[in-house]
Amino acid sequence: MNNIELIPAIDLIDGKCVRLKKGDYAQKTVYNEDPVAQAKEFERLGFRRLHVVDLDGAKSKHVVNDHVLRAITEATNLIVDFGGGIKTEADIEKAFKAGAAMVTVGSIAVTQPDLFLSWLDKYGADRVILGADVRNGKVSINGWKEDSEEDLLPFLKKYIAHGVKNVLCTEISKDGMLSGPAIDLYKRMMAEYPTLHLIASGGVSSTDDILQLEREGIPAVVFGKAYYEGRINIDKLKTSRLSDFSSSLAKRIIPCLDVKDGETVKGTNFINLRHAGDPVELGKAYSDAGADELVFLDITASFEGRKTFTKMVERVAREINIPFTVGGGINELADVERLLHAGADKVSINSAALRRPELINEITNHFGSQVCVCAIDARFDPDGWHCYVKGGRERTERGLFEWAKEVADRGAGEILFTSMDHDGTKNGFANEALARLSDELPIPIIASGGAGTMEHFRDAFVKGKADAALAASVFHFGEIAIQELKQYLRAEGINVRLN
């Protein structure tokens, strides 16, 4: 049995945090006039993800509360998915620009399927959630004001065949009623599509409802009113199988491709490089094989190299449908803008951040926290863990843990921690340091350096408490297959997404 992903919700009307009954705008209760304060409270409690619904947008058929979304993403490190009123590509761009990591699209998938598929193709299945709001077995649209002729299961089948992975399903008759979730409906959906990342929504009335959904194998749950009315016992969730909230998120497997002169290379302890293939072809193969994300690092970012690397990023964006991060030679906002414009989802900064920490604030303020991954290369020296720059060639006087805390405080969305002592050795990750980072910081930690066996990945998640694990040579040279690794991790009780 896998841990269920826990997603608190904030529904917005007039910039306030509200809940409706059965989607009826006339039955509105305001629970907090400051949704940013509410989001901060969710983060303080240990939640890492948030579902935000623009009810004004759903009613008016265009995004309205993007300013509130931006305020939430700037004030917290929560992973936010955003829905309501997304009818055009401009609405999607507005949501992403305001800091959303994912968007939920419902009505358009019913009324304009070709348009929805074009968005799925452009932004990827990890950034577009299919919203399936159901009433009397039919999919509803336009803020639940209309019922379509689409039956739920055939509707899902059509889009799952086109690559949809994430579905948010709300049983409208249950929503806001505190009558218990539509468990039978969700069980039918999971029986039909067992690898679907189903997000159950509507009707949760208690902690026990969440635990029952978990027992039935439902991957994720959204809840709102039950929390606001004190019916969910956070301490009980923490002491149940949901031993900590970070474990409720699916763990990510991330191949890393170090790129030198347009070729993928890999070394040991940052030296002795050998070629591993074309980065675009490798990236596409990893995307097809079920990798959750990719990282591309330009390890020789000269001026000419930057131009070559940018063209490669454009090619990658055309070929893959999963999020990818790029790094190397990023020193200013113009570098970030260039790479995001080429198609990257996130950027990774390292030496530049240590030289000028304000760069983290500039990136997050301009593009959102979710764009900024701060890479930290560190070595355990006789006087403790120290950060290194210039590809690991130069020691700084910044200690790993105090620098990581500053990185988080400045708003970075994730930390990519590479132990230089472990890199390329295939002897396992630096789990003790990883666990300390995960315990002390509110943002996701990506483990890097040392993967050699599937057990090493398991230990990074269990002992190291990492949110994601990154590796290179074991994937590049066929030593570990991603799907086999995920099947192994799932059998070990670790929540991973399967294709």
Side-chain angles (χ1 to χ4, degrees):
M1 181 165 62
N2 297 299
N3 291 328
I4 193 169
E5 184 177 9
L6 302 169
I7 311 173
I10 291 178
D11 293 355
L12 298 170
I13 291 181
D14 297 328
K16 299 175 183 178
C17 179
V18 308
R19 293 298 287 178
L20 306 180
K21 288 184 178 180
K22 298 184 181 181
D24 184 353
Y25 285 72
Q27 299 187 67
K28 175 183 73 176
T29 302
V30 177
Y31 285 103
N32 196 327
E33 296 199 356
D34 186 349
V36 176
Q38 184 60 67
K40 287 181 176 180
E41 176 63 9
F42 284 136
E43 185 174 45
R44 185 192 69 79
L45 289 169
F47 296 100
R48 292 195 175 183
R49 180 152 168 200
L50 178 66
H51 177 59
V52 176
V53 182
D54 184 355
L55 291 175
D56 292 317
K59 194 172 185 179
S60 61
K61 299 184 181 181
H62 64 87
V63 170
V64 173
N65 283 294
D66 55 303
H67 62 291
V68 182
L69 170 63
R70 180 181 294 278
I72 289 172
T73 59
E74 289 180 349
T76 73
N77 290 302
L78 292 166
I79 300 167
V80 180
D81 67 81
F82 181 80
I86 294 177
K87 304 296 184 183
T88 66
E89 192 165 311
D91 290 319
I92 294 180
E93 294 289 346
K94 187 182 288 188
F96 285 151
K97 189 173 182 180
M102 294 158 275
V103 294
T104 299
V105 181
S107 299
I108 290 297
V110 177
T111 60
Q112 300 182 63
D114 289 341
L115 180 59
F116 175 79
L117 289 174
S118 73
W119 295 346
L120 189 68
D121 182 60
K122 179 172 182 177
Y123 297 105
D126 287 294
R127 301 195 75 189
V128 178
I129 300 170
L130 175 61
D133 302 325
V134 184
R135 181 163 42 208
N136 299 322
K138 302 289 186 180
V139 179
S140 293
I141 58 175
N142 296 329
W144 302 351
K145 295 192 293 293
E146 304 172 42
D147 292 338
S148 73
E149 294 301 313
E150 293 274 5
D151 291 316
L152 176 63
L153 290 181
F155 174 74
L156 294 178
K157 182 178 181 180
K158 172 173 59 179
Y159 285 119
I160 290 171
H162 282 91
V164 161
K165 298 178 182 178
N166 302 285
V167 172
L168 173 66
C169 182
T170 303
E171 170 52 71
I172 296 171
S173 67
K174 298 275 189 179
D175 191 69
M177 300 305 293
L178 301 175
S179 58
I183 289 178
D184 288 342
L185 171 66
Y186 302 137
K187 286 169 64 177
R188 289 200 304 273
M189 293 171 69
M190 292 305 300
E192 190 76 19
Y193 308 111
T195 63
L196 182 67
H197 190 73
L198 171 62
I199 307 167
S201 173
V204 171
S205 65
S206 66
T207 308
D208 288 340
D209 283 342
I210 293 174
L211 297 176
Q212 185 179 358
L213 286 166
E214 183 188 48
R215 286 192 293 272
E216 297 294 347
I218 309 305
V221 59
V222 165
F223 53 89
K225 188 173 183 177
Y227 166 81
Y228 297 122
E229 298 198 353
R231 292 168 173 258
I232 291 179
N233 185 323
I234 302 299
D235 289 335
K236 183 176 179 180
L237 286 179
K238 287 182 176 180
T239 57
S240 72
R241 279 186 45 78
L242 308 167
S243 57
D244 70 60
F245 290 126
S246 66
S247 68
S248 71
L249 289 172
K251 304 298 186 181
R252 291 169 287 151
I253 301 299
I254 306 176
C256 179
L257 297 90
D258 293 340
V259 180
K260 181 178 185 291
D261 301 326
E263 284 287 320
T264 307
V265 297
K266 184 56 188 157
T268 302
N269 301 122
F270 284 38
I271 59 174
N272 300 324
L273 302 178
R274 58 175 173 152
H275 291 280
D278 177 73
V280 180
E281 291 180 3
L282 271 176
K284 186 175 188 306
Y286 288 139
S287 176
D288 294 342
D292 297 295
E293 297 183 19
L294 295 172
V295 171
F296 294 86
L297 298 178
D298 183 357
I299 63 172
T300 53
S302 65
F303 176 71
E304 284 300 318
R306 285 183 189 174
K307 291 198 296 185
T308 301
F309 189 73
T310 303
K311 290 179 181 177
M312 184 212 74
V313 171
E314 292 173 347
R315 291 172 56 213
V316 169
R318 290 194 297 267
E319 292 291 338
I320 74 170
N321 61 3
I322 59 174
F324 69 98
T325 300
V326 295
I330 296 173
N331 297 297
E332 57 186 6
L333 281 181
D335 296 323
V336 179
E337 190 164 15
R338 167 175 54 86
L339 293 166
L340 294 180
H341 182 72
D345 297 283
K346 310 176 195 178
V347 296
S348 173
I349 55 174
N350 189 339
S351 300
L354 279 159
R355 283 196 306 271
R356 193 170 68 85
E358 296 81 9
L359 179 60
I360 299 171
N361 304 77
E362 292 169 6
I363 294 172
T364 59
N365 290 338
H366 197 81
F367 299 106
S369 291
Q370 82 287 347
V371 162
C372 185
V373 178
C374 193
I376 302 177
D377 299 333
R379 173 177 283 138
F380 189 73
D381 294 331
D383 56 346
W385 283 98
H386 275 270
C387 302
Y388 280 70
V389 295
K390 297 182 179 178
R393 294 186 296 275
E394 182 179 306
R395 170 177 153 143
T396 75
E397 291 311 306
R398 298 301 299 264
L400 166 63
F401 300 104
E402 55 96 1
W403 171 235
K405 183 179 185 306
E406 181 175 341
V407 164
D409 290 343
R410 287 183 177 275
E414 295 180 279
I415 287 175
L416 169 56
F417 164 55
T418 301
S419 167
M420 295 174 59
D421 301 302
H422 295 72
D423 183 70
T425 65
K426 300 184 182 180
N427 291 324
F429 296 92
N431 292 319
E432 186 175 338
L434 282 168
R436 181 174 169 186
L437 289 169
S438 296
D439 286 339
E440 293 183 359
L441 302 178
I443 61 176
I445 306 298
I446 304 170
S448 171
T453 68
M454 290 192 282
E455 288 79 10
H456 291 156
F457 287 89
R458 177 200 62 199
D459 290 346
F461 295 133
V462 176
K463 297 179 182 178
K465 304 180 184 180
D467 299 273
L470 176 147
S473 58
V474 292
F475 296 140
H476 300 341
F477 302 114
E479 296 165 37
I480 296 177
I482 290 174
Q483 277 303 306
E484 291 179 10
L485 172 60
K486 286 191 166 186
Q487 292 285 358
Y488 165 79
L489 293 172
R490 178 69 69 89
E492 291 289 312
I494 295 169
N495 184 15
V496 294
R497 291 193 179 100
L498 298 175
N499 280 6

